[in-house]
Amino acid sequence: MALVKSGWLWRQSSILRRWKRNWFVLYLDGSLVYYHDETQRDMDGRIHIKYSCRDVRTGRECRDVQPPDGKSRNCLLTVVLRDGSKTTLCAESEDDAVAWKMAVLEAKSTPVRLHPPKRRAPFRHGLRAGVGGGYTNPSTPYPG
């Protein structure tokens, strides 16, 4: 799958609210995967951006969040999910936070065909009265 962006981000844990540094990889199919380190051997988690992401906020839009020590609020990035939960991240710089936001929004909105279209065999359809007005295969026995 095509890589959109990768790099180090700080991730705030959901329970203790501690900051942990992870290696993040965003793929064009909308998978945001984070690992223990850049070797990408030990996956810590995955967010399906295309299906789960409702909004992406940066900087001052990330309310009620304290950035890690030594980082500016402008480096914050919050991914708001459809289930109401949030994943809070912190980039190395304000520019990097904006770049991550743009990349996530691009992956969220880009249509991706995961498999090439299958060729269908020619198929005759007929309208069968009394079956909801839909098309059925005339060679399929009617269950009534």
Side-chain angles (χ1 to χ4, degrees):
M1 184 50 58
L3 174 76
V4 175
K5 186 164 178 57
S6 64
W8 290 104
L9 291 171
W10 292 90
R11 179 179 56 88
Q12 190 175 47
S13 68
S14 57
I15 298 171
L16 298 176
R17 299 289 184 212
R18 293 185 180 160
W19 288 99
K20 180 180 179 186
R21 197 167 179 241
N22 289 104
W23 180 258
F24 279 76
V25 180
L26 176 62
Y27 295 97
L28 193 57
D29 74 348
S31 296
L32 179 62
V33 184
Y34 48 100
Y35 300 92
H36 179 70
D37 59 31
E38 69 269 24
T39 63
Q40 299 181 26
R41 275 184 257 167
D42 299 321
M43 184 175 76
D44 281 351
R46 174 189 308 258
I47 301 169
H48 296 285
I49 295 295
K50 200 169 288 303
Y51 309 109
S52 303
C53 179
R54 187 168 40 111
D55 191 17
V56 183
R57 300 174 184 159
T58 54
R60 304 254 176 241
E61 299 171 321
C62 304
R63 295 177 176 86
D64 302 325
V65 179
Q66 290 300 319
D69 290 340
K71 297 291 178 192
S72 163
R73 176 170 293 285
N74 295 330
C75 298
L76 292 174
L77 178 78
T78 299
V79 179
V80 182
L81 303 178
R82 293 191 191 279
D83 66 3
S85 65
K86 299 174 186 176
T87 299
T88 304
L89 308 169
C90 186
E92 295 298 321
S93 69
E94 182 179 354
D95 288 346
D96 199 28
V98 171
W100 273 104
K101 178 179 181 174
M102 292 173 62
V104 167
L105 291 174
E106 177 187 353
K108 180 181 185 305
S109 64
T110 303
V112 175
R113 175 170 272 147
L114 298 177
H115 303 286
K118 293 181 181 178
R119 297 193 72 204
R120 291 185 172 178
F123 187 85
R124 285 184 33 200
H125 289 88
L127 181 61
R128 191 174 286 168
V131 188
Y135 285 93
T136 60
N137 182 345
S139 64
T140 305
Y142 183 67

